[in-house]
Amino acid sequence: MTDDDLDNIRNTDEFKTMMKEYFPEEIDNITTTNDLIEYTERSFEIPFTRRGGVTQVKCSVNDLPLHFIFDTGAADVTISRVEATFMFKNGYLSSEDVIGKARYMDANGDISIGTVINIKKITFGGLELENVRASVVESNNAPLLLGQSVLNRLGKIEIDYDKSILRITTKERTL
């Protein structure tokens, strides 16, 4: 009833309908509890560079600094086998971070198998996200992509090409 992962849908008609169906006696409490939840907005301005027609941002993955392509079309954060091997050899990843295998479709429509990993911490521009799903692409030349497994956790995203910044506005629950 108070799972903050559901905050972004809690006020939708679909959610309320489902809650009435499955928890009819508690729906009044949900509305009351939800009305008491307060949020503060924080805005972050993250500089980016344009190279070869793509937008790149500086990130830190488990404290390893890297440059990622800000890619709204990628499902996950993606790293190549080269970066993954380096990260495993140097303690930025461990065997405990490996989740399994998955099939991925690239921009050309080709399907490939990748290894799914958990990144404990990604930071960029003052934002810090924990436990982010990522894929390791078997290609040595695969670009580093900052995809939806990060982007859908951020909130409102604006791209200001004139100032070369990403403006990200998040809502954080006030305790």
Side-chain angles (χ1 to χ4, degrees), residues 18 32 34-35 47-48 64 82 87 109 119 126 133 138 144-145:
M18 184 181 69
T32 305
N34 198 35
D35 290 341
F48 68 81
L64 174 67
V82 172
M87 292 174 77
I119 295 175
R133 177 186 168 102
E138 297 302 320
L144 300 171
L145 303 177

Side-chain angles (χ1 to χ4, degrees), residues 46-152:
I46 302 162
F48 68 81
T49 57
R50 300 276 297 165
R51 288 198 183 110
V54 297
T55 301
Q56 291 186 323
V57 294
K58 290 180 184 178
C59 295
S60 176
V61 176
N62 295 339
D63 297 322
L64 174 67
L66 296 166
H67 285 83
F68 278 78
I69 295 171
F70 190 81
D71 189 347
T72 59
D76 288 336
V77 168
T78 303
I79 61 176
S80 76
R81 181 174 34 195
V82 172
E83 282 86 16
T85 301
F86 176 86
M87 292 174 77
F88 276 106
K89 285 183 177 180
N90 292 285
Y92 294 101
L93 288 173
S94 72
S95 59
E96 294 172 1
D97 297 319
V98 177
I99 296 170
K101 297 278 186 187
R103 294 180 186 270
Y104 292 94
M105 182 185 307
D106 66 18
N108 296 326
D110 298 328
I111 305 289
S112 61
I113 303 257
T115 302
V116 181
I117 61 171
N118 179 59
I119 295 175
K120 289 181 180 81
K121 180 174 70 169
I122 291 183
T123 58
F124 62 103
L127 291 163
E128 182 175 307
L129 299 173
E130 295 179 349
N131 298 316
V132 175
R133 177 186 168 102
S135 61
V136 177
V137 179
E138 297 302 320
S139 168
N140 289 336
N141 299 329
L144 300 171
L145 303 177
L146 195 62
Q148 289 296 322
S149 57
V150 162
L151 303 182
N152 67 16

Side-chain angles (χ1 to χ4, degrees), residues 1 15-21 23-33:
M1 296 301 167
F15 180 82
K16 290 176 183 177
T17 301
M18 184 181 69
M19 295 308 292
K20 283 179 187 176
E21 180 180 343
F23 303 99
E25 67 283 351
E26 297 172 10
I27 194 65
D28 291 333
N29 276 343
I30 293 170
T31 304
T32 305
T33 302

